[in-house]
Amino acid sequence: MSTAGKYFSLFLGYLHINAKGLLEYRVSSLIALFGSLLNSAIWLVFWWVFFRRFPNISEWQFVHLFTIWAVLNVALAFVSVFYNVYKIPAIINEGKLEYYLVRPKNALFHLLIARMRLVDLVEAFIWFISFIILKPELPAVILFLVMSVISSAIIHGFLLILGSLGFFLKSADGIGTELYNALITFSTYPNWIFGGATKWIIFTVIPAGFISYVPVQVIYNRVYWWILGSLGFAVLLNVVGCVVFSRGLKYFETGNTFVLRAD
Amino acid sequence: MCIEVNRVSKQYTLWKIKGWTRRERQVIEAVKDVSFRVEPGRALALIGPNGAGKSTMIKLLCGILSPTQGSIRVLEMDPFKDRSRLAYRISSVFGQRSQLWYHLPPIDTFQLLGRIYDIDRVELKKRMKELIELFDLSSFLYQPVRKLSLGQRMRCEIAAALIHKPKILFLDEPTIGLDVVARSTVIDILRDLNRHRNVTIILTSHDTGDIERICEDVIVLNEGKIVLESKIREMRKNFFHSKIIEIEFAEQPNDLNLLPGVRVFDQNGPVVKLEVDLKTCDVNEVVSRIVACNAVRDITIQDPPLESIIQHIYLSGYSAEREAGQNAQIDG
């Protein structure tokens, strides 16, 4: 079997074992799914009421907002297939990284696929169906899927960079959580209303613009060059994430800095 | 040579937080100029108090950490540079960390490990069958790990570590938290692996009973340095200057008529334990005197526990390194 085949086989092995884990706790998983859908529904009702009162803000309507929620939720579900990307600082600080280091597979890939939150894929499916009902056109559906995959890659790269800082900063967990929350918050708001420095921030430091503004531009206004732009940004983030992780790994293996309270 | 460690040191940088803003840099040398060799098929114990450098040494040997100075060869490979390649030929069990999936049966972890180590299905099936028999896992193989006892879980841990037929097994406190029966089972399995299946074992443990039953060789570490490198039986011979005589009298003894150098170590009714200083007197003489004065039901003569020898080594700061030279070799 080729190296790629062996890695794919490992991915399938983890998919199988995570699916079994999900079935072992199917009731709690379903409750979590229901809770998440309810949370999204409450926000959508809020926005629906808002847009009924103000139907058009900078030419954007409720349908656009629904689309960014759908893209974000499908993207987050894809990221959940690599669920450990959320846990990198904890994996480093709690010494769990050693499990992956003593295995013959690439430590980063192995770590990322080891935990999957597969119940999120059910949620993604519901959002996907909802989008089809909202806009039953094949090109729009294809573009929706493409932009969801690219958005997931952007979120993944963003989390990978933040998580890998855990090698260098003991407080990376807290900083990462704050920045991730900011990303999600900006991604679920009609961030096209912002301009100037805020717009610059949502396309760089907190790349929420790529997850909300860009998919709407691509799906509704067919601004195709944005696909390449966001794909390039996704690749860049993930490459930088891999570099930071591999530098951090070297630092971990050769340095092992500890911070202790002296008194 | 299976393992060759040559003048290895490992330093950590420690930042001490003092007050609100001040941080003080401190370099900690976890392992200091350590050298040793291990022949294939041997069982070596790394022992020492907490912070002695045992776990760091294991991590260096597995390739998790790189040495600050010196060189390490494990199965003719540099463990740090060739870590992925070496991983196919070594395995590790860390007593406080599990590699089993907590909510799923052990069989699922075994199958996953088959994929991690690229074992084909037929070979994996054969290998699992062997391990299930060897570790007697069949009765709980399909039960979720969370429902297993600690002993059953540890048997599964060791079986999982052997799925890819490693040449060397690193064990860091494998019997921690186990009850007497479970501990005994795990020790028997490890001894069998070493004696009959030629698996080299490197073990760290605080339990001297485990060490005595599994290992032939021992390295005592203290503050990152080797303070003693020896065979266990030689360590006993060199450091045992006393014997324990356990006597069961027919009735409560009146007069033990003890010689100088003999003290009562423990007494429980008619059962008395005496510690005899071999430098001062002879065991035969002590026994003869006691038998002459009292009716005795049973007598056993034992060495003192290994624990007390190790305590003695730590306290005396004995350094075999000086005696044995830098590159002392542990061989048959």
Side-chain angles (χ1 to χ4, degrees), chain A residues 50 84 87 91 115 125 127 146 230 238 242 246 252 256:
Chain A
F50 179 87
N84 268 346
K87 309 271 180 197
I91 289 170
R115 294 278 168 184
F125 182 72
W127 278 104
V146 169
S230 49
N238 281 282
C242 289
S246 94
F252 172 82
N256 257 39

Side-chain angles (χ1 to χ4, degrees), chain A residues 9-10 13-14 17 20 24-25 98-99 101-105 114 253-254 256-260 262, chain B residues 10 12-13 15-17 59 64 66 80 83 87-88 97 99 101 103-104 108 112 115-118 146:
Chain A
S9 163
L10 183 63
Y14 273 113
I17 211 162
K20 281 189 94 168
E24 187 72 17
Y25 290 98
E98 287 162 15
Y99 173 82
L101 291 177
V102 294
R103 310 288 158 192
K105 296 287 186 275
E253 291 156 337
T254 54
N256 257 39
T257 300
F258 291 107
V259 178
L260 290 184
Chain B
K10 177 68 189 173
Y12 294 108
T13 307
W15 288 97
K16 280 187 175 176
I17 299 169
K59 286 177 190 175
I64 294 171
S66 72
F80 184 65
R83 188 169 54 213
Y88 286 104
R97 278 184 211 137
Q99 60 178 320
W101 280 66
H103 303 298
L104 298 176
D108 288 320
L112 182 71
R115 290 180 194 252
I116 291 173
Y117 288 101
D118 308 324
R146 67 174 188 275

Side-chain angles (χ1 to χ4, degrees), chain B residues 29-46:
Chain B
E29 215 168 355
V31 173
K32 295 173 191 167
D33 200 19
V34 166
S35 300
F36 63 90
R37 292 177 184 189
V38 182
E39 291 277 354
R42 303 293 292 176
L44 168 71
L46 293 172

Side-chain angles (χ1 to χ4, degrees), chain A residues 87-125:
Chain A
K87 309 271 180 197
I88 293 174
I91 289 170
I92 296 164
N93 292 330
E94 291 164 17
K96 292 176 187 166
L97 187 63
E98 287 162 15
Y99 173 82
Y100 304 100
L101 291 177
V102 294
R103 310 288 158 192
K105 296 287 186 275
N106 176 283
L108 176 59
F109 177 80
H110 194 172
L111 175 160
L112 289 173
I113 61 166
R115 294 278 168 184
M116 302 174 182
R117 253 179 65 119
L118 297 175
V119 70
D120 290 359
L121 291 177
V122 180
E123 192 176 348
F125 182 72

Side-chain angles (χ1 to χ4, degrees), chain A residues 158 176-188 202 206 208:
Chain A
F158 184 71
T177 306
E178 290 303 323
L179 286 173
Y180 174 72
N181 287 340
L183 176 76
I184 298 302
T185 306
F186 273 110
S187 302
T188 50
I202 63 167
I206 302 165

Side-chain angles (χ1 to χ4, degrees), chain B residues 88 107 183 192 203 312:
Chain B
Y88 286 104
I107 184 93
R183 167 171 290 182
D192 176 69
L203 169 85
H312 171 73

